[in-house]
Amino acid sequence: MAVKIKTQHGLIDIDNDVIATVVGGAATDSYGVVGMASKNQIRDNVNDILKRDNYAKGVVVRQEDNGVAVDVNIIVSYGTKISEVSRTVQSKVKYNLETMLGITANAVNVTVQGVQVLSE
């Protein structure tokens, strides 16, 4: 499914993969986030951090009446405050969706699927 935006010049369709890429980029750009995790690690057979071209596997986008709800699956860095990292991800994802795509994020649900110790 895609988000449809009607303008005076016509219709704009934004695919869920585009939304997932914007969400994944915003999430991984946040301090304390090591990377994206797959939403279904058993089915996808992925235990590693997702690369930029696979962000759609770590994000679930649901269309709602006046916007979208997104679920973001992340891996955080050991030693960071998980609640603060999650709040930062929520606000950054919401901001990027509104500024880049013109889409209102009604809910940004963050699931921390792992903690990774970064080597020095």
Side-chain angles (χ1 to χ4, degrees):
M1 255 177 100
V3 173
K4 297 180 186 319
I5 302 172
K6 187 171 180 160
T7 67
Q8 64 184 11
H9 302 292
L11 189 66
I12 300 171
D13 287 338
I14 302 174
D15 193 60
N16 282 352
D17 287 341
V18 174
I19 297 169
T21 302
V22 170
V23 169
T28 55
D29 198 33
S30 300
Y31 175 78
V33 176
V34 175
M36 299 288 295
S38 175
K39 62 184 171 258
N40 193 347
Q41 292 181 346
I42 296 171
R43 187 191 68 196
D44 293 339
N45 199 18
V46 177
N47 280 337
D48 297 332
I49 297 171
L50 297 175
K51 304 291 184 221
R52 186 172 300 275
D53 55 339
N54 287 330
Y55 281 165
K57 290 183 179 179
V59 177
V60 177
V61 180
R62 294 182 309 280
Q63 278 74 28
E64 294 183 345
D65 294 337
N66 55 351
V68 295
V70 292
D71 299 334
V72 185
N73 299 285
I74 60 171
I75 299 171
V76 298
S77 174
Y78 178 80
T80 57
K81 189 171 181 182
I82 294 175
S83 61
E84 284 301 314
V85 171
S86 299
R87 276 193 212 102
T88 302
V89 168
Q90 287 175 323
S91 63
K92 196 166 209 175
V93 165
K94 188 174 176 70
Y95 176 78
N96 280 7
L97 284 176
E98 290 173 358
T99 57
M100 293 174 139
L101 303 177
I103 298 172
T104 303
N106 296 334
V108 178
N109 304 311
V110 177
T111 303
V112 178
Q113 288 202 358
V115 176
Q116 189 172 59
V117 178
L118 298 175
S119 58
E120 294 181 32

